[in-house]
Amino acid sequence: MTFNWKQSLIIVFDIVISAYLILAVTAFNKPAEKAKVCPEVKIDIDDGETDGFLNANEIKRLLESNKMYPLGKAMESIDARAIEETLRKNPFVEGAECYKTQSGKVCIRLQQRTPVAHVMLDNSENYYVDTNSNILPASRFATDVVIATGAITKKYAQRSLVKLANEIIHDSFWQNQIEQINVLPDGSVELVPRVGDHIIYLGAPENTKKKLERMRKFYHYGLNKAGWNKYSYISVEFDNQIICKKSKKVKK
C-alpha cells in the first residue's frame, strides 16, 4: 500500500483551515470581552414634534440608580437586554434598544413618548397626555406644550382632548398661537391665544380642524385689519359663521 503524501497534506490543511475559521468566528462574535471594559456609552434619543422629558443625562442617572450604567464595566458583565427592560419601565419611554459594538462601546437608542397637553386641574390633578393618548405622570422637567384646564376627566383627555392637542401641535401656526385649552362643564372647548386679548370658542370638540381653519382665515382677513384686540370673544362653533363679542376696552 503506497502512502499518499499529497492527499495527507490536503487533509491536514483542511483541518487547520477549519480550526482557524471556528476560532475566527468565535473571536468575532465575542471580541475578547473578558479582557475589555466599556470605554464609551452612546445614547441617542429620537425626538418627536415637541421636546420630551428625556435627555442623555437623565438616562445616565436612571441607569446609575439601578447600578446598570455600563461605562468602565467589563463588557462580559454588561447585559444589554436587562438595560432595555429597565429603560422600558420608565413611563416616558416608548421603546428602547441596547447593543454592544466590536470596539467595546455600548449604544443605547430610545424613542420617547411625546407629550401634547399638560393637564392642570383645580383638584390638584397634574399629568400629561401624549400623542397616543397615554397618561404620563407630572415631571420635574418642563416642556412647551399647551396647558389644559377645566372639566377634564382622564377619559375625556384620552378621547377628545388629545385629538385637539395633536391638531395644535402638528400645525406651526396654532402651536405658537394657542397656550391654553379650557374645557367647560358641558364638554365644550375654549382656546386662550398667546397673541390677542380674546377667547376662541370651538363648542363641542368635533370637526375642530375645520373650526381652526375658519378661525385662521378670520385672523388673516378680519383681525389683521380690524385689530387683534377688537373682540373679547370669538365663536367658530357653527359652520359658515363667526360670532364675535366686541371688547369693552375698544372705543366705539
Side-chain angles (χ1 to χ4, degrees):
M1 180 176 173
T2 304
F3 187 77
N4 192 331
W5 283 99
K6 186 176 181 180
Q7 186 175 7
S8 298
L9 285 174
I10 292 173
I11 293 172
V12 171
F13 182 75
D14 288 342
I15 293 172
V16 171
I17 291 296
S18 298
Y20 172 78
L21 290 174
I22 291 171
L23 290 173
V25 170
T26 303
F28 179 78
N29 288 331
K30 290 188 174 288
E33 285 192 349
K34 292 183 179 180
K36 286 187 177 181
V37 296
C38 174
E40 182 182 349
V41 179
K42 185 179 180 182
I43 300 174
D44 291 321
I45 300 174
D46 294 338
D47 292 322
E49 293 84 355
T50 62
D51 294 332
F53 299 104
L54 301 177
N55 55 44
N57 288 333
E58 179 65 11
I59 296 305
K60 178 182 177 181
R61 186 200 66 76
L62 175 61
L63 292 176
E64 285 178 338
S65 66
N66 287 275
K67 299 181 179 180
M68 299 182 72
Y69 192 63
L71 188 65
K73 290 188 176 183
M75 293 295 289
E76 183 185 32
S77 68
I78 297 171
D79 189 338
R81 178 167 293 184
I83 290 174
E84 290 176 349
E85 291 174 353
T86 297
L87 293 174
R88 286 170 184 158
K89 292 177 183 177
N90 187 292
F92 303 116
V93 172
E94 182 77 31
E97 179 185 8
C98 179
Y99 60 91
K100 296 181 277 187
T101 69
Q102 295 300 314
S103 61
K105 296 178 183 179
V106 173
C107 298
I108 298 171
R109 293 192 63 185
L110 294 177
Q111 298 83 44
Q112 62 177 320
R113 299 187 188 280
T114 303
V116 293
H118 185 182
V119 179
M120 303 177 70
L121 306 181
D122 292 339
N123 63 3
S124 299
E125 277 196 273
N126 185 355
Y127 57 88
Y128 289 85
V129 184
D130 79 353
T131 52
N132 296 316
S133 300
N134 296 298
I135 300 294
L136 308 180
S139 170
R140 68 180 185 277
F141 297 102
T143 185
D144 187 22
V145 295
V146 65
I147 302 297
T149 58
I152 303 174
T153 63
K154 288 186 177 179
K155 184 177 179 180
Y156 184 97
Q158 291 176 296
R159 290 188 176 182
S160 300
L161 176 63
V162 68
K163 292 179 182 178
L164 175 58
N166 267 316
E167 288 171 359
I168 291 172
I169 286 294
H170 286 87
D171 186 301
S172 59
F173 175 81
W174 292 116
Q175 186 178 11
N176 291 320
Q177 172 65 351
I178 301 301
E179 65 178 358
Q180 183 178 342
I181 299 171
N182 186 53
V183 179
L184 302 177
D186 64 355
S188 60
V189 177
E190 296 175 332
L191 303 179
V192 181
R194 286 189 173 93
V195 180
D197 190 17
H198 56 267
I199 299 295
I200 302 168
Y201 182 67
L202 297 183
E206 301 168 354
N207 300 316
T208 51
K209 192 170 185 178
K210 290 183 178 180
K211 294 175 182 178
L212 289 173
E213 185 57 30
R214 193 156 65 251
M215 185 64 206
R216 188 205 304 267
K217 290 179 180 178
F218 185 62
Y219 273 137
H220 183 73
Y221 297 108
L223 296 189
N224 275 344
K225 296 179 180 179
W228 284 38
N229 295 323
K230 182 174 182 179
Y231 303 107
S232 61
Y233 207 79
I234 303 171
S235 172
V236 289
E237 177 182 13
F238 302 111
D239 289 342
N240 302 318
Q241 62 176 298
I242 296 175
I243 301 172
C244 302
K245 181 180 180 181
K246 186 175 263 189
S247 174
K248 295 180 180 179
K249 298 178 183 179
V250 177
K251 295 181 180 180
K252 295 182 180 180

